[in-house]
């Protein structure tokens, strides 16, 4: 079953202001995988659960057309209002009902979103809309964080860890997929050609001077001929 959260306008405003874009080394992992799998031509990428569009926009330079989808009208409206590129568009729809023809998509991504989807239904859609040799990339930040700011880094990390431990018992069970570093997401990918990538990466939002180092998980898969 899918879980619907973060759909209100105030959530979208916060996402647009504070949500991280995918770090460059994560982008490099994905685009290197596409090159390895010889995904060419690279016409259409679909970013599912795109929120306010930070992850969608990073795909613009690599594809003829990029479509971000999200179930939240407020998130999509925030994405449309942000500075973007002429080959990027957005669409409101569930992750499990993508508005694309069979075998028409070259890459499907979901950045810090796939754990909220109805995974069996979503993977059926991935299999349906990807063209032969098309790829899927599903990534998330895990719960392994460290904070870095001047001489406060250690204390900030302690506070964050203590707060996280208090809140996790109230979290939706879907968060267990993140805690497990997308192991179950990897297992659910319906293609034999797949891999799971784990690496610690640094990110920083435009609104803060705090740098956050976190362990990222990325599941990559390539559909056969």
């Amino acid at each position: 079953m899918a879980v619907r959260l973060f759909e209100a306008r105030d959530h979208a405003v916060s996402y647009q202001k504070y949500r991280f874009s995918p770090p460059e080394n994560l982008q490099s992992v994905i685009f290197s995988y596409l090159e390895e799998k010889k995904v060419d031509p690279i016409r259409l990428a679909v970013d599912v659960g795109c929120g306010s569009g930070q992850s969608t926009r990073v795909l613009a330079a690599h594809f003829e057309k990029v479509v971000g989808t999200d179930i939240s009208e407020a998130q999509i409206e925030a994405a449309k209002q942000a500075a973007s590129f002429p080959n990027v568009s957005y669409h409101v729809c569930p992750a499990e009902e993508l508005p694309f023809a069979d075998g028409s998509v070259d890459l499907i991504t979901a950045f810090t979103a796939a754990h909220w989807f109805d995974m069996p239904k979503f993977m059926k859609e991935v299999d349906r809309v990807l063209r032969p040799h098309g790829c899927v990339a599903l990534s998330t930040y895990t719960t392994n964080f460290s904070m870095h700011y001047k001489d406060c880094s250690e204390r900030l990390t302690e506070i964050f860890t203590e707060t996280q431990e208090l809140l996790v018992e109230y979290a939706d069970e879907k968060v267990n997929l993140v805690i497990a570093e997308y192991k179950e997401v990897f297992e659910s990918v319906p293609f034999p050609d797949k891999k799971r990538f784990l690496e610690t990466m640094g990110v920083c939002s435009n609104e803060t001077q705090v740098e956050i180092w976190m362990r990222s998980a990325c599941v990559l898969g390539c559909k056969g001929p």
Side-chain angles (χ1 to χ4, degrees), residues 51-195:
S52 47
Q54 285 90 333
S55 55
T56 314
R57 294 188 287 273
V58 303
L59 300 172
H62 302 272
F63 290 85
E64 293 178 17
K65 182 179 180 181
V66 180
V67 181
T69 74
D70 201 282
I71 201 167
S72 165
E73 292 185 10
Q75 292 281 11
I76 291 297
E77 187 58 34
K80 288 179 177 179
Q81 290 177 4
S84 192
F85 302 91
N87 62 330
V88 174
S89 61
Y90 297 96
H91 192 87
V92 177
C93 68
E96 302 81 11
E97 299 175 20
L98 299 175
F100 304 97
D102 296 359
S104 63
V105 178
D106 298 292
L107 174 68
I108 291 177
T109 60
F111 295 91
T112 322
H115 46 280
W116 300 118
F117 303 162
D118 184 320
M119 199 57 61
K121 290 182 179 179
F122 172 65
M123 288 301 179
K124 285 182 180 179
E125 278 294 85
V126 168
D127 190 27
R128 180 184 70 80
V129 303
L130 277 183
R131 70 171 179 83
H133 304 293
C135 293
V136 59
L138 311 172
S139 68
T140 188
Y141 304 118
T142 71
T143 54
N144 187 350
F145 284 72
S146 63
M147 319 285 282
H148 298 269
Y149 179 70
K150 297 183 179 180
D151 60 351
C152 305
S153 300
E154 185 175 347
R155 183 56 185 147
L156 281 172
T157 299
E158 288 176 357
I159 293 170
F160 180 87
T161 302
E162 291 168 3
T163 303
Q164 180 177 261
E165 290 173 351
L166 288 171
L167 293 176
V168 71
E169 63 178 290
Y170 303 102
D172 189 276
E173 63 179 13
K174 291 276 194 177
V175 174
N176 291 328
L177 296 173
V178 175
I179 295 171
E181 300 181 331
Y182 269 24
K183 183 175 184 294
E184 290 181 46
V185 174
F186 170 78
E187 292 170 351
S188 70
V189 173
F191 315 131
D193 187 351
K194 57 185 175 180
K195 63 172 65 175

